Amino acid sequence: MKLPIFVGLLALAACFQCVAAVVDVTPYTKRDGFEGIKLSPKGDYYAATVPQEGKSVLLIVHRGDNKPTGGFGLGKNNYVADFWWVSPKRLVISMARKFGALDRPQLTGNLYGINADGSGSSLLVGPDVDQMSTGSHIQGRTTENVWATLVDDLPNDDHNVLVSVTPFTADAYSRVDRMDVDTGVRHPVLRSPVRNADFVTDSSGVVRFASGYDMHDNNYLYYRSSDKADWKEINNESSSGHNEGPIGFSADNRFAYLYVQQATGPSAIVALDTLDGTRKSIFRDKVSDPASVVTAVDHTPVGVTFEDGNPRSVFFDENGAEARLHHSLEAAFPGNAIAVSSRTSDGKLALVEVKSDRNPGDFYLFDTVIKKADHLVSRRDWFDPEKMAKVRPFNFKARDGMQLFGYLTLPPGTQKNLPLIVMPHGGPFGIADGWEFNTDSQLLAASGYAVLQVNYRGSGGYGRAYEQAGKRQWGATMQDDVTDATHWAIDQGIADAQRICIYGASYGGYAALMGVAKEPALYKCAVGYVGVYDLPRLVSDGKWADSSKAYLHNWIGDPAQVVAVSPINLAKQIKVPVFLAAGGQDERAPIVHSQEMEKALRAAGVPVETLYFRTEGHGFYEQAHQQEFYSKLLAFLDRNIGAAGGSAPAVTTKH
C-alpha cells in the first residue's frame, strides 16, 4: 500500500537538459517526497515532513482513507526540525532555520501545536510567542523571551509535556517547565545546575539528569535520585578526562543507562544502579561507538546499534520481545539496516524503515501480531537499489601506526585501476562517513569513478582517543590521514595513480585545497565546495559565544598558529586545476573564503573555475543550482581525470 499524496510528491521535480555531464544529474537532485514519518498513538494518522523549495512543511494524513487532514508550515528557510504526537489527536512541532543544504538546522526555539484535523494551530512557546502569526492569542500564555525544546512528551499525559526553556544569552542556564499543549501555559519544574544543558527523564517523567558544558568547553553530568532531591555532580570532564551522557532508564527506574567515553578505544554503554550506585559495562564494541539507541513502546532503551560497516543491533535481553522483533525484521530484510521509527501505544502497529548503502529507505507498516509488513512509501523510488554502487568498509594503518577506517564506493564492472575521487567529509570533529546511501558517491560511481571516504583522526564514531587525536591537526596529521588513505587505494590497485582528484565540502573543501597544496604530485585536481580556506578569519570571528571560542581555540588553534595551514596562504604550492563553489548567504563558511582563495590562485597562475550563487547558503538548495553544480563538477572531473583526461579553459560563473 502506498500513500497517493506522498507518491505524487515524489514525482514532482524540475527537469531540464544537463550540460556536459557524464550522467543525467536530474535524479540525484530530485527532492525526497518526505523526510520523516510517524504514526499516531492509536494508529489513526500519519504525520510526515515534506520538503519544498527552500523550506519544509508538516503534512497529516488519515490512515483509513489516505486523505490529508491538516498541515503546518512557515516561510522560506523555515524547516520542520522534529515533531511529536503528544496525544492521539495533537502534535507539537519544533521549527528550525537554515540557509544551505549542508547547514545543520538551527533551532528557532519556537514550539508549535496543531491538531490532527488541522485545527488548533498555535505557537506555544518561544521567542516569537508575542508576535503570533498562527491561531489566536490565548490568555494566560507566558510571553517570556526564551528558546524552547521538548524534554519529554509524557506519553501517559495527553495534555502536558516537559519543555526546556533558555534565556537568549550566551552560555545560559536552562529551566524545565510543564507546559499545556493546548494553551501553552507553563509551570516551572526545576532549574539546571550547569550551563548549556540537556535533560533526561526517567520512565515516570521525572527529570533525573542534566548534562551540559561550561564556558571552557568542559562537559558536566548531574544526577538527582528523585523529584525532591538536589542535583549531584557525577562526572566532570576536566577531572575525569572523559564525557558521559544519559540515554534513559529501565522501565522500573532501577537502572540508568549511560554513554561513557573510555580512555582508549570505543565508548561503552554502562548501567548505573540507582539504588547502590554501582556501575556495570553492558555493551562495548571492539571498533566503533554505539551509534543509536533502540527503544521499546514505552520509550525505554532496550538496545543499541553499531555501524562499523553494515549496521547491527544488540539488546540488553537478546531473548526479549524487542530483540525478537528486530532480529525477525533483520532476517526479513537481509543486508539492510532496520529502524522502528514509531509505533502505536499498544505496540500492535509499527512503522519500520529499511535502508542500506544502495537504498535510501523504504517504510513498511508492520503488524506485530500477525507478523505482516506492508510497503508504505519509499524515499527515492526512482533509484533501483540493484543498480546502485555497493559501499564497502575498509581499514588501514596510517604512517604513525594509527588504525583508520573508511568506506569505498566502486562503480559496477571493473574494480581495479580506476579514476578515484577522494572525498573527505565535513565537520570535521565528531562527524563520520558511514555505510549509507550517499548522493555524491552514487553520482560519481555512476560516472565511472571510485570514491574513497576516510574517517581521518578527529572523526566521530570510534572513541574519544580517535576524535581527540584530531585536536589542532588541521593541515597536519588529519591531512596526512587523507594522503595515506589515497596511497592505500593506489597500493591496493584500486586507483590509477595518474587519475586522482580530491573533492570535499565545508571542512572537506579545506582538506581538498590543503591536499593539493601539501601533495602537488598526488592529485590532478581539487574541488572545494562551500569551504573554509582562511583559518585565522574563521577562529577570529567575533560572533562566537565564550564556549564556542574555547572550542575553536581547543580544537583548531590560535589565529597566529593556523596561518601556516591556511590554503589561502599556500596558493603558490598548488599546481593543478581547482574548482570552487560557494553561496553568498553562507554563514558557516562565508563566501569571502572562496573569493579570496580564487584571487590567491589566480595570482599564482593556477587554473580556477568558480560557481557562485549569491542567494545560496552552506550548500545549494535550489534544484537548478544543484544541477548546474553537479554538471560542472562532472565536466571538470572528466576533463582532468576522466575519459577526456585533458585540460580545458577555466570558467567562472556568478549568479
Side-chain angles (χ1 to χ4, degrees):
M1 177 180 69
K2 285 193 176 184
L3 298 181
I5 186 69
F6 293 144
V7 175
L9 288 164
L10 289 171
L12 293 176
C15 180
F16 60 84
Q17 184 72 24
C18 297
V19 181
V22 176
V23 298
D24 180 7
V25 302
T26 304
Y28 299 89
T29 61
K30 287 177 66 174
R31 206 170 276 110
D32 286 8
F34 66 96
E35 293 171 345
I37 304 179
K38 295 181 182 180
L39 191 61
S40 66
K42 290 187 176 180
D44 298 328
Y45 301 93
Y46 299 107
T49 48
V50 178
Q52 295 181 348
E53 192 67 55
K55 65 178 182 179
S56 70
V57 299
L58 185 75
L59 180 68
I60 306 165
V61 174
H62 191 270
R63 190 170 72 87
D65 55 15
N66 293 328
K67 292 183 178 180
T69 61
F72 180 87
L74 300 176
K76 186 177 181 182
N77 295 328
N78 286 276
Y79 292 79
V80 177
D82 205 348
F83 61 94
W84 303 267
W85 286 98
V86 296
S87 78
K89 301 291 185 181
R90 190 158 177 82
L91 301 99
V92 168
I93 306 163
S94 172
M95 297 298 293
R97 292 192 182 101
K98 55 182 181 176
F99 296 92
L102 303 179
D103 256 337
R104 297 174 187 172
Q106 301 297 311
L107 296 176
T108 63
N110 291 314
L111 294 177
Y112 297 81
I114 189 172
N115 294 329
D117 62 4
S119 66
S121 174
S122 63
L123 175 54
L124 300 171
V125 59
D128 298 336
V129 74
D130 58 344
Q131 304 173 16
M132 292 178 59
S133 58
T134 58
S136 59
H137 187 73
I138 300 175
Q139 297 299 320
R141 179 183 287 118
T142 305
T143 57
E144 187 180 13
N145 187 26
V146 292
W147 183 81
T149 58
L150 189 79
V151 173
D152 192 326
D153 60 5
L154 302 177
N156 296 321
D157 185 343
D158 287 346
H159 302 289
N160 297 283
V161 296
L162 295 181
V163 296
S164 170
V165 294
T166 307
F168 268 87
T169 56
D171 300 315
Y173 288 91
S174 303
R175 185 182 77 238
V176 174
D177 288 354
R178 182 178 296 273
M179 183 180 75
D180 187 299
V181 296
D182 294 304
T183 67
V185 172
R186 292 182 280 116
H187 300 283
V189 174
L190 57 78
R191 291 187 178 274
S192 168
V194 62
R195 299 174 188 268
N196 306 296
D198 292 316
F199 301 93
V200 170
T201 57
D202 64 17
S203 298
S204 302
V206 176
V207 180
R208 301 282 293 278
F209 282 105
S211 60
Y213 50 93
D214 63 17
M215 291 184 289
H216 301 290
D217 195 38
N218 292 309
N219 174 265
Y220 291 80
L221 179 62
Y222 286 83
Y223 169 77
R224 63 184 195 144
S225 57
S226 71
D227 60 347
K228 305 297 183 183
D230 293 330
W231 288 112
K232 177 184 177 182
E233 181 186 297
I234 63 173
N235 186 65
N236 179 337
E237 181 186 10
S238 61
S239 57
S240 71
H242 69 268
N243 290 359
E244 297 183 0
I247 63 172
F249 284 77
S250 59
D252 61 3
N253 291 326
R254 170 72 184 269
F255 296 99
Y257 300 110
L258 306 177
Y259 180 101
V260 180
Q261 292 181 335
Q262 306 296 302
T264 60
S267 301
I269 299 297
V270 173
L272 169 66
D273 191 318
T274 61
L275 295 184
D276 60 23
T278 59
R279 294 184 174 211
K280 180 182 179 181
S281 179
I282 53 177
F283 289 132
R284 192 182 182 208
D285 189 61
K286 293 180 179 180
V287 174
S288 65
D289 294 337
S292 60
V293 179
V294 183
T295 58
V297 177
D298 59 2
H299 304 317
T300 59
V302 293
V304 295
T305 61
F306 294 100
E307 296 183 356
D308 53 325
N310 295 16
R312 54 193 171 83
S313 300
V314 293
F315 293 86
F316 301 165
D317 178 6
E318 285 292 343
N319 295 317
E322 295 296 331
R324 295 197 304 272
L325 168 65
H326 277 75
H327 291 325
S328 66
L329 289 168
E330 289 169 345
F333 300 100
N336 288 274
I338 305 297
V340 177
S341 65
S342 61
R343 62 180 79 187
T344 53
S345 54
D346 61 10
K348 292 181 178 180
L349 294 177
L351 269 182
V352 179
E353 183 175 13
V354 178
K355 59 184 179 179
S356 73
D357 57 334
R358 297 186 291 165
N359 181 1
D362 296 322
F363 278 85
Y364 292 83
L365 184 64
F366 182 64
D367 188 316
T368 64
V369 178
I370 63 174
K371 310 297 183 185
K372 184 176 183 295
D374 290 321
H375 181 257
L376 184 66
V377 64
S378 298
R379 287 196 184 278
R380 306 171 82 177
D381 60 3
W382 51 91
F383 287 122
D384 181 355
E386 295 301 318
K387 296 180 180 178
M388 296 292 102
K390 293 183 178 180
V391 179
R392 65 178 177 91
F394 70 90
N395 65 85
F396 70 101
K397 285 189 176 181
R399 65 188 69 181
D400 63 357
M402 183 172 174
Q403 196 77 21
L404 298 175
F405 303 88
Y407 294 86
L408 188 67
T409 305
L410 299 176
T414 180
Q415 308 287 288
K416 297 291 184 179
N417 203 37
L418 293 162
L420 176 71
I421 308 300
V422 179
M423 197 166 73
H425 65 72
F429 302 114
I431 307 299
D433 286 317
W435 184 82
E436 60 187 2
F437 186 98
N438 181 285
T439 298
D440 283 27
S441 296
Q442 291 293 339
L443 171 61
L444 292 168
S447 301
Y449 298 102
V451 182
L452 184 143
Q453 298 169 277
V454 60
N455 286 321
Y456 45 78
R457 68 194 69 197
S459 300
Y462 302 95
R464 179 182 175 87
Y466 197 101
E467 186 172 340
Q468 293 275 324
K471 268 191 172 181
R472 296 194 168 203
Q473 294 301 310
W474 285 49
T477 55
M478 288 171 69
Q479 195 68 46
D480 292 340
D481 291 346
V482 177
T483 301
D484 293 351
T486 306
H487 283 297
W488 173 86
I490 296 171
D491 294 342
Q492 295 294 310
I494 296 165
D496 179 347
Q498 301 305 311
R499 294 193 295 166
I500 302 176
C501 185
I502 184 167
Y503 155 50
S506 197
Y507 170 84
Y510 164 87
L513 271 293
M514 199 65 199
V516 290
K518 288 193 70 172
E519 308 290 339
L522 182 59
Y523 305 106
K524 299 305 178 185
C525 58
V527 181
Y529 179 34
V530 295
V532 289
Y533 311 113
D534 184 349
L535 298 191
R537 181 190 295 271
L538 174 68
V539 299
S540 299
D541 194 314
K543 68 182 181 181
W544 305 115
D546 287 343
S547 58
S548 297
K549 290 177 182 176
Y551 176 86
L552 293 171
H553 173 87
N554 293 339
W555 287 86
I556 300 179
D558 297 323
Q561 296 173 321
V562 294
V563 171
V565 289
S566 292
I568 196 170
N569 300 319
L570 305 174
K572 291 182 180 180
Q573 297 176 205
I574 297 174
K575 308 299 181 184
V576 298
V578 173
F579 175 29
L580 299 173
Q585 294 186 24
D586 193 342
E587 296 181 359
R588 190 171 298 277
I591 195 172
V592 65
H593 282 269
S594 295
Q595 293 170 330
E596 293 300 317
M597 189 73 236
E598 177 192 355
K599 290 180 183 178
L601 290 169
R602 294 195 186 282
V606 178
V608 187
E609 298 183 35
T610 62
L611 179 62
Y612 301 148
F613 292 108
R614 63 178 179 80
T615 59
E616 292 282 9
H618 196 57
F620 300 159
Y621 263 134
E622 293 189 24
Q623 287 177 268
H625 295 170
Q626 290 180 354
Q627 290 182 340
E628 185 170 352
F629 169 69
Y630 279 134
S631 295
K632 288 183 179 296
L633 170 66
L634 294 179
F636 175 82
L637 296 175
D638 186 56
R639 286 195 299 273
N640 288 286
I641 64 170
S647 60
V651 177
T652 295
T653 306
K654 296 180 180 180
H655 298 266

